Amino acid sequence: MKGMLLLLYAALATVSAGATAQAWSPQRNVEIVVGSAPGGSNDKTARSVEHALMGQKLVNTSVTVVNKPGGGSSIAFTYVTQRQGDPHTLLVGTTALLTNHITGRSKIHHGDFTPIASLFNDYVVFAVNAGSSIKDGRDLAARLKSDPQSVAIGFATALGSHNHIAAGLLMKAVGGNARDLKTVAYKGSSEAITNLLGGHIDLVTTAAGNAAGHVAAGRMRVVGVAGPQRFSGALADVPTWKELGVDLVYGGFRGIVAPMGLTAEQVAFWEGALRKATETPEWQDELQRNYWSNDFLTGAAFRKDLDQTYDAMKAVLVELGLAKQ
């Protein structure tokens, strides 16, 4: 009898240990938080991730996208940092994680989050209304050099954002001063594009995927691409800035981060789920459709990339007069 009890205790201990060792997975609704308004590339990123996670059954719970625009994404960042230790909250990480701290807009540092995965790079395009008197990239460069205040430039999501930096780098490349630019920051690229189509601003710096549909419909023209090579589809005829004699290649990353305080098992779950999501044909279609350039990184590699990008962006923002040394 005593032997049987010992065997029973051993069996129970094995079952208990096995249950404890089981990998973590979400137990309730997962929120993917976006720091900009619906319709822009940040929002598209969140909805593409949501679709991949649900479509491939990589999570057994519901997933919702939560838009919290305002403050150059600072409202969303604050919301996520207040959920320390919550593995059911994810955030679309963008260059605003870095630039908001660099410019002093926010005290929140990218080190205040748990890096999960870098997903892709999103190169910036320069777009005008189809009826604009700005004919092409060379015309835009000439106008910025001669009279920068004659070109009102709109972008998301804040002064000092990567879309702002792109405009500043163009200004610098043509021999002008970025501080002379006439700029307007919007809560999302969709708002900037709406104002461009309405004739309220002259130029938008935004992700290629945000402009392509309007270009195909004849409502907008892209006059320059800050990518390493030309895009395909509706933007196939648009030259890169390098083709136009301007040394400008620039874009912003999109990734997923989480609050601080996650366990190793929780981080591993999300890294694995996102890796599987980005390996599907559906995700590859999303990359092509939105003109995204694949750049999947996790763990220490992603953290190192964030640190290096922070230093590089700080140097650029200081040089452009948008941040202090």
Side-chain angles (χ1 to χ4, degrees), residues 3-322:
M4 290 294 292
L5 286 173
L6 288 174
L7 287 174
L8 179 58
Y9 289 152
L12 287 172
T14 300
V15 171
S16 177
T20 302
Q22 284 182 355
W24 178 89
S25 63
Q27 301 301 308
R28 54 182 172 80
N29 180 61
V30 175
E31 289 187 355
I32 304 178
V33 182
V34 184
S36 56
S41 56
N42 296 340
D43 183 67
K44 289 178 184 177
T45 301
R47 296 183 192 280
S48 296
V49 170
E50 174 198 20
H51 180 75
L53 291 174
M54 297 298 292
Q56 298 300 315
K57 295 182 171 53
L58 297 173
V59 294
N60 294 320
T61 63
S62 58
V63 179
T64 57
V65 174
V66 180
N67 295 87
K68 289 189 173 295
S73 295
S74 292
I75 292 175
F77 298 166
T78 299
Y79 175 79
V80 174
T81 57
Q82 291 173 342
R83 294 193 162 195
Q84 185 170 345
D86 181 4
H88 299 89
T89 301
L90 303 176
L91 171 72
V92 174
T94 70
T95 52
L97 278 174
L98 315 177
T99 58
N100 281 9
H101 186 267
I102 294 169
T103 60
R105 174 178 288 274
S106 173
K107 293 182 179 180
I108 297 174
H109 186 271
H110 65 276
D112 296 324
F113 298 90
T114 300
I116 302 297
S118 168
L119 300 176
F120 56 83
N121 286 321
D122 207 359
Y123 291 105
V124 177
V125 300
F126 293 67
V128 299
N129 190 304
S132 172
S133 60
I134 298 174
K135 300 179 182 62
D136 52 32
R138 289 190 176 90
D139 188 18
L140 171 61
R143 293 193 188 198
L144 288 176
K145 187 174 182 179
S146 63
D147 185 11
Q149 286 293 303
S150 69
V151 183
I153 307 172
F155 47 75
T157 56
L159 296 177
S161 69
H162 77 280
N163 289 317
H164 188 182
I165 291 175
L169 289 174
L170 174 61
M171 188 64 171
K172 179 188 175 186
V174 301
N177 190 328
R179 303 183 192 190
D180 295 333
L181 291 173
K182 185 178 181 179
T183 57
V184 185
Y186 294 90
K187 292 181 179 180
S189 287
S190 58
E191 293 185 13
I193 289 172
T194 297
N195 277 269
L196 178 75
L197 296 177
H200 305 295
I201 54 177
D202 305 297
L203 176 74
V204 163
T205 52
T206 188
N210 293 336
H214 296 288
V215 171
R219 294 187 292 267
M220 286 170 58
R221 287 185 291 111
V222 172
V223 298
V225 170
Q229 59 191 22
R230 290 196 184 195
F231 289 118
S232 59
L235 305 180
D237 295 331
V238 183
T240 65
W241 281 113
K242 283 205 166 187
E243 288 181 79
L244 297 171
V246 178
D247 188 15
L248 176 59
V249 177
Y250 191 75
F253 76 89
R254 297 292 186 281
I256 296 294
V257 301
M260 289 290 287
L262 269 62
T263 66
E265 291 79 11
Q266 291 163 348
V267 172
F269 173 86
W270 284 121
E271 287 181 354
L274 289 170
R275 184 179 297 278
K276 291 176 183 177
T278 58
E279 290 173 348
T280 63
E282 291 80 7
W283 181 264
Q284 299 306 311
D285 289 343
E286 287 292 316
L287 293 180
Q288 184 173 4
R289 183 181 305 112
N290 292 294
Y291 301 86
W292 294 336
S293 178
N294 184 53
D295 184 32
F296 190 84
L297 291 172
T298 61
F302 183 26
R303 187 182 298 277
K304 181 180 179 180
D305 191 60
L306 285 172
D307 292 339
Q308 292 177 339
T309 303
Y310 179 95
D311 293 339
M313 295 192 82
K314 182 175 182 179
V316 171
L317 285 165
V318 168
E319 186 176 355
L320 296 178
L322 299 172

